[in-house]
Amino acid sequence: MPEWAALVPELLVADLARSVDLYRHVFGAQVRFQRSGPAFAYLDVGQAQIMLEEDHDGAWITRPAEYPRGRGINFQIEVSSLAELVAAADRLTVPLFRPVAERWYATDGEIEEGQLEVLVLDPDGYLLRAIEPLGSRERRLG
């Protein structure tokens, strides 16, 4: 079992079972543990971890929970095969928020890191950015 991550987001969701299904079947997540009262799941998604908790009266809600939740935030999750993720999303009729794109990001003056990425909305509207690393290259200007 992997170690506990130093930073683990906990997302409030309307329907825990529906959310867990998306993370398991599209992102390949493993349920590390689950409990009821309130309904909660701790997931391992590759080297990432995420907690999901179903809405309840005692939840730490600072504003009304309206769709899409998590406005202005996206969670980047590294996957081993973006093609497999997109195929799973297609099989489950999970729409892509943005199609697969190749992106290169400067990490210093001379190097950039590449990734294939796709954006998916989970059932509560959290924006998930799945990425497959492409490695490093000399930075291209322009």
Side-chain angles (χ1 to χ4, degrees):
M1 183 179 328
E3 298 294 321
W4 300 101
L7 174 67
V8 182
E10 182 173 355
L11 308 179
L12 289 171
V13 299
D15 181 334
L16 182 69
R18 184 174 175 212
S19 294
V20 168
D21 279 348
L22 177 121
Y23 285 88
R24 285 184 59 236
H25 298 295
V26 175
F27 285 85
Q30 300 296 313
V31 177
R32 183 181 281 212
F33 65 89
Q34 210 166 341
R35 62 178 180 252
S36 59
F40 174 90
Y42 196 108
L43 307 177
D44 288 317
V45 189
Q47 293 181 319
Q49 296 172 347
I50 193 164
M51 297 180 284
L52 304 175
E53 182 174 84
E54 195 167 276
D55 292 336
H56 60 93
D57 289 339
W60 301 338
I61 298 177
T62 58
R63 297 190 139 222
E66 300 170 349
Y67 186 90
R69 297 183 185 193
R71 292 175 194 98
I73 191 169
N74 75 78
F75 297 97
Q76 178 174 292
I77 303 171
E78 184 177 318
V79 298
S80 57
S81 171
L82 208 60
E84 289 178 17
L85 181 141
V86 170
D90 187 50
R91 277 194 310 278
L92 297 170
T93 63
V94 174
L96 303 181
F97 182 75
R98 291 271 163 78
V100 174
E102 181 176 318
R103 301 276 187 236
W104 291 87
Y105 299 102
T107 56
D108 71 22
E110 298 178 18
I111 302 294
E112 57 188 8
E113 299 286 332
Q115 61 192 38
L116 292 176
E117 60 186 39
V118 67
L119 298 171
V120 177
L121 286 172
D122 86 349
D124 291 282
Y126 291 109
L127 188 57
L128 310 171
R129 179 169 45 153
I131 65 116
E132 180 180 331
L134 296 174
S136 301
R137 70 181 186 194
E138 189 173 310
R139 187 169 175 200
R140 298 180 183 170
L141 300 177

